[in-house]
Amino acid sequence: MKHYRIAPSILSADFARLGEEVRQVIDAGADWIHFDVMDNHYVPNLTVGPMVCEAIRPHATVPIDVHLMVQPTDRIASDFAKAGANIISFHPEASDHIDRTLSLIRDHGCQAGLAFNPATPLHYLDHLMDRLDLILIMSVNPGFGGQSFIPEALNKLRAVRSRIDAHTAKTGREIRLQIDGGVKLDNIAAIAAAGADTFVAGSAIFGQPDYRTVIAAMRQQLVA
Ligand code: DX5
Ligand code: ZN
């Protein structure tokens, strides 16, 4: 039985009541808080930075999973580590030195993840599986919540799942496989079947009046 994680993206939360939204979604069963950082440079949108991460830290009794859609990566990654992030992922195209950025994140005591856009090739994984705690597969182009799931992401998940399983068989070390973008109640089972164990969902959760009902229904899909 896999240890599935559901990570609501606060991109779709009410920013005017962010602390309360974070508490409510954790009460409703969220395993992680997914924190989307967009810089209006690497992606065409602008969200929030380390100060907001620090502000929600006391409200978040679960890991804060920071998804950096920013370029450059390194200084802001350090700032998020200091602001209380637990997991920090970045996009390989946005880093000048991927291995260095991964080390920097881990040296701060955080877990490190690499994020793949829909058309980013998986060869970036070739020499760094042992440096990763998480692999994030984007199933939309990064920048906005509420987009439709790109089905090709399922093939990518299957490919990464076999690489992770081979790595785990060899080393005993696990790597989480996260999907991000367009995850809904009606596709989460197929996404899990393709190998994901960690599910980001923004609009599917925060777009509903009762977070507990939708998170419970998602878990139900994962055990069914
Ligand atoms: C997109 C972000 C996602 C997004 C997911 O760039 O990385 O985390 O918030 O939102 P939904 O679940 O609405 O697609
Ligand atoms: Zn994200």
Side-chain angles (χ1 to χ4, degrees), residues 9 34-36 67 69 136 138 180 200:
S9 164
H34 186 78
F35 192 105
D36 284 311
H67 176 192
M69 289 161 274
L136 184 165
M138 293 294 305
D180 185 5
V200 176

Side-chain angles (χ1 to χ4, degrees), residues 108-130:
H108 275 99
C110 295
Q111 294 195 340
L114 211 55
F116 289 80
N117 287 330
T120 303
L122 294 177
H123 66 63
Y124 281 110
L125 291 173
D126 283 355
H127 304 288
L128 42 70
M129 288 294 275
D130 58 339

Side-chain angles (χ1 to χ4, degrees), residues 12 14 21 25 58 64 83 96 101 122 125 131 138 143 147 201 222:
S12 295
D14 179 354
E21 288 272 72
V25 85
I64 298 179
D96 289 331
T101 309
L122 294 177
L125 291 173
R131 320 274 286 133
M138 293 294 305
Q147 304 179 77
L222 294 173

